[in-house]
Each structure stands twice: as structure tokens, then as C-alpha cells.
Amino acid sequence: RAAAAEEPVQVEERRCPEGRAFGRGCKVAMRFGELVDRIEGGETRLYLTTQELPLLSGGGEALLAPPLSALREKLPLRPRLAGSLCPQSLNLWYGRTDLREGTTSGLHHDHHDNLYCLLRGRKRLRLYAPSDAPRMRTHGRVRRVHPNGRINYAGDPTAADGRTAHDVLRWRLRRARRARRRAEVALEAAESEARRVAG
């Protein structure tokens, strides 16, 4: 806690007119240490969820966002349990519930694999196979379930690894530009050699 106490975080706050549910976009900025103090003091209206990942100078996103970025040296960035998988991001969800009422999360799916670690308390998870998605009442029409379980909805296609068509086109364009640069260098070398031999 001490290492991350000053880290700025965006925290969901249960104060929206729609009711007491989280996930309504009501967020408040605070330091992580203040959040810990309030939750340890019994606060149940605050919930730390995924934080926006910082952009890297070369493009792409960092692996960690605050407060986890302050704990980088203490975290296994590639847990043994993950085997050869490389994490795309590491996130922390942190909150407290009133034990008399409990809390529930609506049925949903994440687009990325998860390694779920409950630090205190208990939680019951009900898991469904991705192949069940076409038989469920989803928000959006299920277009495809990839062999790896990734679900695509109509109007939002992705590759099995989550890349969008735009991502694939950008990658092909970068690859084509690199190939063109190599070809131009080879052509210049060949022309130079031809001039030398003819000269």
C-alpha cells in the first residue's frame, strides 16, 4: 500500500440516479491511499476497476496502469500459472461489499483471458462455455465464436486474437512498407553494381 499510496486512480462511485449499480460511468479521481483508507473504513460505494493504460512512445499500451505500475517490482509480470502466455495487461479490481446484502455482477464476458485472484472474502462464479453464447440473450447479435472462444458480434468483427480488420490492415501496410524499403535498398545496390561493372 505504501508504495502505491500516491498513485492517481479513477474510482467508480455508486451515486448515479439509475440506482446503486456500478458500471454507470460515475467516476471520481483520488489517490490510491485514500481509496484504501475509505474501503478499510467500511465504504461500500467505491470500486476500483480497470485503469486507462499509458501509451508507450513507440505505440501501443503499457502493461500496467496506476496503482499497479508503482508495484511493478513486487508483481510477477508473467505468473508461472500462465505458462507460455504473455499478459497483455494486468489490472486490479478493488472494493468492499456490505456482507448482509452482497453484490452481484450481471452476466457478461471479457474479451481477454483472466487470471482471477480473490484476496479476501468469497465469491461464487458461474461459468458458461463460449459455445453457449448463441443461445443466450446477448446485447448484440452473435456473429461468430472463434475456436479459441472469442465471441464476435454483428458489426464488430475481430480475428481470434482480438485484432480488428483495421489492425490487420495496419499490420499488412507496415509489412508491405518494410518489404518495399528492403526492395529499394536491393535495387539501389544492384544498380550501383551494374554501373560499376559497365563503367
Side-chain angles (χ1 to χ4, degrees), residues 106-155:
L107 181 62
H108 70 281
H109 70 86
D110 294 337
H111 284 291
H112 297 97
D113 297 329
N114 286 273
L115 176 59
Y116 196 93
C117 302
L118 185 65
L119 300 180
R120 189 183 307 162
R122 62 184 185 184
K123 184 164 189 154
R124 183 173 59 187
L125 301 171
R126 183 173 291 157
L127 303 176
Y128 296 93
S131 58
D132 290 332
R135 293 182 293 283
M136 296 181 162
R137 282 183 268 168
T138 59
H139 291 280
R141 186 173 55 82
V142 174
R143 182 179 158 270
R144 177 179 185 189
V145 178
H146 288 279
N148 67 353
R150 181 165 184 100
I151 301 169
N152 282 164
Y153 295 94

Side-chain angles (χ1 to χ4, degrees), residues 54-66:
L55 295 176
L56 300 172
S57 58
E61 296 175 331
L63 181 66
L64 302 168

Side-chain angles (χ1 to χ4, degrees), residues 2 10 22 36 44 48-50 60 67 119 128 130 136 142 154 164 169 176 190:
Q10 290 290 317
F22 289 114
V36 172
T44 60
L48 179 71
T49 60
T50 304
L119 300 180
Y128 296 93
M136 296 181 162
V142 174
T164 64
L169 288 174

